[in-house]
Amino acid sequence: MTVAEAAELVSCDESGYDAQLAAKVARVRALLGEVAELPETTTVVPSPKSHFRQRSNFRVWHEPEATGLGVSFIMYSPSSSDKEPLRVGDFARGDAKTNALMGPVLAALKTTPVLRDKVIECRFHSTLRGGAMVLFAYNRPIDADAAWKAAAEALAAQLGPDVVVIGRSRRVQIAVGGACPGRAQVEETLEIPCEPPLRLELVQLEGEFSQPNGAVCERMLAWAMAATKPAEGAAPRDLLELYCGNGNFTIPLSRHFRKVLATELTKPNAAVARENAAKNGRSNVVVARLSAAEVAEALRRDREFARLKELGVDLDAYDLGTLFVDPPRCGLDAPTLKLAHGFETVVYMSCGPDTLAENLHALNATHVVADFAVFDQFPYTDHCEVGVVLKRRADADAAVVPEPRPKDRAVSKRYAKKHAARDKKAGGGKHKGGGGGGKKRPAPDGARDGAGKKKPKAPEPKKGGAMGNCAIM
C-alpha cells in the first residue's frame, strides 16, 4: 500500500480541506443545476478538519506469532491493487473518545485470549457529550461463554461507567456496562445553534443509523429548523416525516408544528424514536412503523393499517402542509415522489446527490428550490449530505409530471462475479442485470461508491473566494 493510499484511509489533509470542500460543493451544485434552478447562494456547513467521526469500524488482524504483535486494527484501501492491510494506530478521522478507547481495547484483545479468539471486527460508536460503545464481532458463538462475559465486564469497568462493551456472533448480541446494562445503546446530547438554543437528548442504538459527524449534525438540525419555521402570525400546521430513524430531526422540528406524524420501518428505531420523543417532552409526536410506500397508500385511503389504528391515528385530523424526508442513498421511490408532489413544502435531506438529482427532475414539475445547502458530513471523501427546501408552484399540476429519467443501476463487484460464475457454469453469457441500488448509507472513510466508479472531475469553483458564491454556516 502506498503512502497516498494509506493517507486516503486515516489522515486529514487540513491544509487542502477548503479546496476539497469547494470542489465538492461545485460538483454537487453542477449536478443538481442540470435538473432544477438553484438559488444563487449555497449554504455550506464545513466539518471540523480532524477528529470528526463518531462511528468507526476496523477489521481485526491476527498477526503471525513470530511478529509478537498479537492482533492489530486494520483498514483496506479500495484503490489499492495489492489489498495490503493498513495497521491503524492513531486515527485522525476518529473523534477524541474513539482514539482514547482504541489503545486500551487493543491491549485487552492482545492480553485476553477469550476476547481475542476468532474476533473479526471491532466497531466504535461514540458521542459528542455522552457515552460510547465498543463492539466485537465474532466468528464463533459467545452466548454460552461465561468466560467471555466476565472478560467483557472487566473491560467495561476498565473503560469507564459510560462505555458499553458488546459482543456479537450469529443471532446473538450481549451488552455489558454502561448506564443501561444489557442494552446496546448510548445517550447523546446535541446542542442546536438555533434561536433560542436547543438541547436535544437522544438514545442511539448500536447497529442502527445515526449521524456519524455530530458537529455537522447540529448545524443540519439548525438549518432544518430554520427551513420549517412558520411565518410570523401563521397558524401552525402539521408535519409528515418519512424515514425518521431515531427521531434525530423529528423532535426539534416538532416545535414548529401542531402535530407530527413520523414514520419508520424498522422496529428498533421506531421504538427508540418514541422513547426519544418522550425523553424530550414532545407529546405532539406520533411515530408509526410504516414504510414510505405504505404511508402513501394510507394517505390515498387505498388501505387501512392496524398499526395506525393501534396508535389512535386519525388521518382526517391532520392538516399536513410540510413533508420532511431523509431517505437512504437510493432516494425516493415512485409512490413517495407522487405523494411529495401534493405538499406545499418539501424539505429533502439527501446522502446521495445522484439520486437527489433524479428526484428533483420529477419534483421540479410542481416545486421550486427555495434553499440549497451542502453539509460536509464526510470530509476527505466524495460523499456529503445535501439539503433542499422545495416550495410548491402556484400553477402546479401534480397530474402532469415527467417520467423518471433512465439510469444505470450499479452492479457490485461481488454480485457481478457471483452471477458471472453462475452463468458460465450454465453455459450462458455475461450477466447483464440488477445489483446495486441498495439502501446503504455512505461507507466508512476511504470507500468509493458501490460500483467502484471514479467520480466525474469537479468543476472549478467560481471566482471570488475558495467557496465561490457560498454562505458558510
Side-chain angles (χ1 to χ4, degrees):
M1 184 182 298
T2 66
V3 173
E5 290 167 348
E8 180 187 63
L9 295 178
V10 299
S11 298
C12 298
D13 178 17
E14 296 192 29
S15 63
Y17 174 78
D18 291 340
Q20 289 183 44
L21 179 56
K24 188 182 295 188
V25 172
R27 181 171 62 249
V28 172
R29 188 175 177 89
L31 174 67
L32 301 186
E34 293 179 0
V35 296
E37 184 176 348
L38 302 178
E40 291 186 4
T41 300
T42 306
T43 299
V44 178
V45 175
S47 170
K49 294 182 179 180
S50 64
H51 302 298
F52 46 81
R53 285 192 67 90
Q54 270 79 58
R55 297 204 320 267
S56 305
N57 300 346
F58 303 99
R59 296 299 300 265
V60 178
W61 185 261
H62 294 258
E63 304 280 359
E65 292 185 10
T67 66
L69 296 176
V71 292
S72 301
F73 294 142
I74 64 165
M75 299 178 75
Y76 288 97
S77 169
S79 60
S80 176
S81 58
D82 56 18
K83 298 302 178 185
E84 178 185 353
L86 172 68
R87 292 166 178 81
V88 181
D90 294 331
F91 187 45
R93 300 189 183 191
D95 72 347
K97 287 184 181 179
T98 296
N99 279 274
L101 289 170
M102 287 173 64
V105 168
L106 187 60
L109 288 176
K110 290 181 177 181
T111 58
T112 314
V114 70
L115 291 178
R116 184 175 65 247
D117 183 24
K118 295 188 178 180
V119 62
I120 58 175
E121 186 178 8
C122 185
R123 301 179 185 176
F124 296 87
H125 180 145
S126 59
T127 57
L128 289 176
R129 301 174 188 89
M133 293 184 283
V134 178
L135 179 138
F136 301 119
Y138 288 91
N139 193 18
R140 69 177 179 89
I142 60 169
D143 52 321
D145 193 338
W148 180 90
K149 187 174 182 180
E153 289 172 340
L155 176 58
Q158 175 192 343
L159 297 177
D162 61 346
V163 178
V164 184
V165 174
I166 305 162
R168 177 180 293 168
S169 61
R170 182 177 173 83
R171 299 181 182 175
V172 172
Q173 179 172 281
I174 302 172
V176 299
C180 299
R183 295 193 65 179
Q185 66 179 47
V186 287
E187 296 188 6
E188 170 69 290
T189 299
L190 299 176
E191 296 183 351
I192 306 173
C194 55
E195 190 57 45
L198 177 64
R199 287 175 66 88
L200 175 62
E201 306 287 339
L202 283 179
V203 172
Q204 296 178 345
L205 302 179
E206 200 291 316
E208 298 293 336
F209 179 78
S210 59
Q211 298 289 345
N213 189 324
V216 174
C217 178
E218 291 176 330
R219 310 291 285 279
M220 291 168 64
L221 292 170
W223 178 85
M225 291 194 71
T228 56
K229 187 175 182 179
E232 187 174 351
R237 298 181 68 187
D238 300 332
L239 170 70
L240 173 65
E241 181 185 2
L242 308 179
Y243 318 96
C244 77
N246 63 15
N248 182 74
F249 286 98
T250 317
I251 295 162
L253 293 185
S254 68
R255 296 174 179 271
H256 289 165
F257 295 91
R258 184 180 64 123
K259 293 191 293 186
V260 176
L261 176 58
T263 66
E264 167 60 40
L265 184 57
T266 69
K267 284 185 178 180
N269 264 335
V272 82
R274 296 186 190 108
E275 180 181 345
N276 284 331
K279 190 180 183 70
N280 289 271
R282 304 311 299 163
S283 59
N284 64 333
V285 173
V286 173
V287 180
R289 193 176 67 81
L290 294 171
S291 70
E294 288 173 330
V295 173
E297 285 185 282
L299 291 176
R300 292 195 306 265
R301 307 304 194 269
D302 291 345
R303 179 181 169 191
E304 291 187 351
F305 289 88
R307 282 166 282 174
L308 291 177
K309 288 185 178 180
E310 291 167 0
L311 295 170
V313 173
D314 178 7
L315 293 176
D316 292 329
Y318 282 83
D319 178 23
L320 298 171
T322 300
L323 172 67
F324 184 91
V325 294
D326 183 14
R329 192 181 297 179
C330 59
L332 303 180
D333 58 17
T336 310
L337 278 172
K338 187 174 182 180
L339 175 67
H341 284 296
F343 278 81
E344 181 180 312
T345 302
V346 178
V347 182
Y348 192 138
M349 193 69 68
S350 170
C351 62
D354 292 330
T355 52
L356 174 60
E358 299 296 335
N359 290 164
L360 283 183
H361 173 69
L363 292 170
N364 192 51
T366 52
H367 290 72
V368 296
V369 179
D371 197 5
F372 169 60
V374 175
F375 306 94
D376 197 18
Q377 276 268 3
F378 310 96
Y380 313 108
T381 76
D382 290 332
H383 298 296
C384 63
E385 295 268 343
V386 180
V388 292
V389 179
L390 298 158
K391 294 291 185 179
R392 187 172 168 82
R393 300 176 187 270
D395 59 348
D397 183 358
V400 182
V401 297
E403 291 294 324
R405 296 188 301 175
K407 59 180 179 178
D408 294 329
R409 293 177 64 86
V411 180
S412 71
K413 293 179 181 179
R414 181 179 179 183
Y415 183 92
K417 185 177 180 181
K418 171 184 171 184
H419 284 271
R422 183 197 66 182
D423 293 341
K424 183 177 180 181
K425 184 176 180 180
K430 293 183 178 180
H431 180 70
K432 296 182 180 180
K439 296 185 178 181
K440 290 188 177 181
R441 292 279 181 173
D445 288 322
R448 297 192 179 189
D449 64 12
K453 297 179 180 178
K454 292 183 178 179
K455 299 293 183 180
K457 186 177 180 181
E460 292 295 327
K462 294 181 181 179
K463 294 181 180 180
M467 298 302 298
N469 192 17
C470 298
I472 308 297
M473 286 183 66

